[in-house]
């Protein structure tokens, strides 16, 4: 039976990397019916909204989406569509696996982390106001409900994936109330898994130093919203950049899969965007849908192309001289 998956091409390089992902999934023989849906600045032009209600309704109805990046204007303009989407669909957990890939040489070996980011509150609550001319405030929201929920999610995830340890990065020495509440709730959840997992906490500045000194000492990282956003990009830099890190946003009734990277306007429509992060997000989606064999075959295919390392296949961000298309074609040819 075919699954219906919402496909949101998004902005910038989004249409290029999502169509590459669709090609690979179809070449692997997976029977998916794609519901093409608008969102982002592209949608604003012809739908009058950056997040049309029909897009939200379709994701809610079908339960699964593959999404390209959506541009967020800096310092003004519309609120982040990504943040709104995660809040409206209650996609409370972002899951971002970060690992060394064959053939991509970086400063480190044995990096195999999973970043779990709280997706609905913190400074991303978007509550900002001008107190008086030249003085503004931004509210960091922490609730016991969301903190316990993400803690439970992280520990369940770690146990089910046979991971050994969860580490929380926080700043509860300064943000005593908000990060303090987050930590207390997470510790309460950990108490239920004490026998099955190791757990530790690091103040985030120390955590950053440790992460760039020896990332192999980390396993699952659990962070509130803003820290999770920043550490995701930092961790991507440890394994080859934003072109190779996938992501999933998981809620109670639906899941949206998307690469960690943004819309990369500097390389949009040049045909050189790395499609791998989006293809890897597609693999996470196939696993979520129970299409594990196809997911394994696609993973084997891109591992083969990367290990082979032919620069004619790979995109420039990972040392190649190929294009989005040449990389996608090579992965399709390598499908076992
Ligand atoms: P946003 O605020 O939308 O998350 P960002 O500020 O994180 O975006 P990106 O759009 O992700 O920025 O781009 C950061 C840099 O990484 C840019 O130089 C971009 O070209 C590069 N980059 C991002 N994604 C890819 C990709 N898939 N392939 C190649 N380069 C990429």
């Amino acid at each position: 039976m075919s699954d219906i998956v919402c496909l949101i091409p998004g902005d910038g390089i989004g249409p290029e990397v999502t169509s590459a992902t669709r090609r690979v999934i179809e070449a692997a023989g997976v029977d998916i019916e794609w519901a093409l849906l608008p969102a982002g600045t592209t949608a604003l032009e012809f739908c009058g909204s950056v997040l049309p209600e029909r897009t939200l309704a379709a994701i809610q109805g079908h339960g699964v989406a593959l999404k390209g990046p959506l541009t967020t204007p800096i310092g003004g303009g519309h609120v982040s569509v990504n943040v709104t989407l995660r809040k409206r669909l209650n996609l409370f957990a972002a899951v971002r696996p970060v690992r060394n890939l064959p053939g991509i040489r970086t400063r480190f070996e044995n990096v195999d982390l999973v970043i779990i980011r709280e997706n609905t509150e913190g400074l991303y609550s978007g509550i900002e106001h001008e107190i008086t001319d030249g003085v503004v405030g931004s509210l960091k929201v922490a609730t016991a409900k969301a903190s316990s929920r993400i803690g439970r999610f992280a520990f369940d995830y770690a146990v089910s994936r046979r991971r050994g340890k969860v580490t929380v990065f926080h700043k509860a020495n300064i943000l005593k109330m908000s990060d303090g509440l987050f930590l207390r709730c997470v510790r309460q959840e950990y108490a239920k898994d004490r026998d099955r997992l190791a757990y530790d906490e690091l103040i985030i500045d120390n955590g950053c130093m440790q992460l760039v000194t020896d990332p192999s000492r980390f396993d699952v990282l659990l962070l509130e919203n803003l820290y999770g956003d920043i550490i995701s990009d930092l961790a991507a830099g440890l394994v080859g950049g934003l072109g190779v890190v996938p992501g999933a946003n998981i809620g109670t009734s639906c899941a949206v899969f998307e690469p960690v990277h943004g819309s990369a306007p500097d390389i949009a429509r040049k045909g050189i965007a790395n499609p791998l992060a989006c293809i890897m997000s597609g693999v996470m989606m196939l696993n979520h849908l129970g299409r594990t064999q196809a997911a394994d075959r696609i993973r084997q295919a891109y591992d083969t192309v990367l290990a082979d390392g032919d620069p004619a296949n790979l995109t420039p961000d990972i040392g190649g001289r190929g294009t989005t298309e040449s990389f996608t074609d090579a992965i399709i040819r390598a499908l076992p």
Side-chain angles (χ1 to χ4, degrees), residues 57-311:
I59 303 173
Q60 263 157 344
H62 300 306
V64 185
L66 179 69
K67 183 178 97 43
L70 306 172
T71 301
T72 305
I74 296 173
H78 61 77
V79 295
S80 164
V81 191
N82 295 312
V83 172
T84 310
L85 188 102
R86 289 168 195 157
K87 278 194 204 155
R88 288 283 304 273
L89 298 176
N90 206 12
L91 300 166
F92 66 89
V95 178
R96 295 163 168 191
V98 179
R99 66 175 177 101
N100 283 120
L101 291 163
I104 301 188
R105 289 188 52 199
T106 62
R107 286 184 184 82
F108 302 102
E109 287 171 4
N110 307 319
V111 180
D112 183 10
L113 312 168
V114 180
I115 293 172
I116 310 261
R117 166 185 175 188
E118 201 293 318
N119 240 355
T120 61
E121 53 185 35
L123 277 166
Y124 287 64
S125 59
I127 306 171
E128 294 192 300
H129 64 295
E130 186 172 31
I131 297 161
T132 184
D133 192 25
V135 184
V136 297
S138 300
L139 202 63
K140 173 161 172 158
V141 176
T143 65
K145 186 179 170 199
S147 304
S148 300
R149 182 174 61 179
I150 196 69
R152 174 73 353 242
F153 180 92
F155 296 124
D156 285 347
Y157 180 96
V159 169
S160 69
R161 302 295 197 289
R162 299 183 190 284
R163 295 266 170 178
K165 186 166 85 174
V166 175
T167 303
V168 178
F169 284 7
H170 67 89
K171 195 73 189 174
N173 53 334
I174 303 297
L175 298 164
K176 293 180 192 296
M177 292 192 75
S178 53
D179 282 15
L181 176 70
F182 185 84
L183 273 188
R184 279 200 306 282
C185 294
V186 167
R187 285 176 192 158
Q188 275 168 12
E189 292 305 318
Y190 175 62
K192 302 169 194 164
D193 285 313
R194 195 172 286 283
D195 300 335
R196 302 197 284 179
L197 280 170
Y199 170 78
D200 65 356
E201 297 165 355
L202 286 177
I203 294 179
I204 188 161
D205 30 3
N206 177 22
C208 286
M209 189 274 291
Q210 308 252 8
L211 201 50
V212 298
T213 308
D214 180 13
S216 66
R217 63 159 287 209
F218 293 103
D219 191 344
V220 175
L221 293 181
L222 169 59
L223 307 103
E224 65 82 79
N225 210 339
L226 176 65
Y227 308 152
D229 188 8
I230 296 168
I231 296 297
S232 296
D233 278 30
L234 184 151
L238 303 173
V239 296
L242 286 167
V244 300
V245 178
N249 299 289
I250 309 287
T252 40
S253 59
C254 48
V256 175
F257 296 82
E258 62 178 342
V260 168
H261 61 72
S263 57
D266 52 329
I267 55 164
R269 290 174 295 281
K270 292 187 178 158
I272 54 164
N274 187 342
L276 190 57
C278 194
I279 293 170
M280 292 167 91
S281 307
V283 166
M284 291 177 79
M285 182 187 81
L286 292 177
N287 279 320
H288 175 84
L289 292 170
R291 310 291 189 109
T292 51
Q293 279 187 356
D296 285 347
R297 286 174 59 225
I298 296 172
R299 185 170 162 156
Q300 278 179 48
Y302 65 67
D303 275 354
T304 304
V305 175
L306 290 171
D308 178 42
D310 183 347

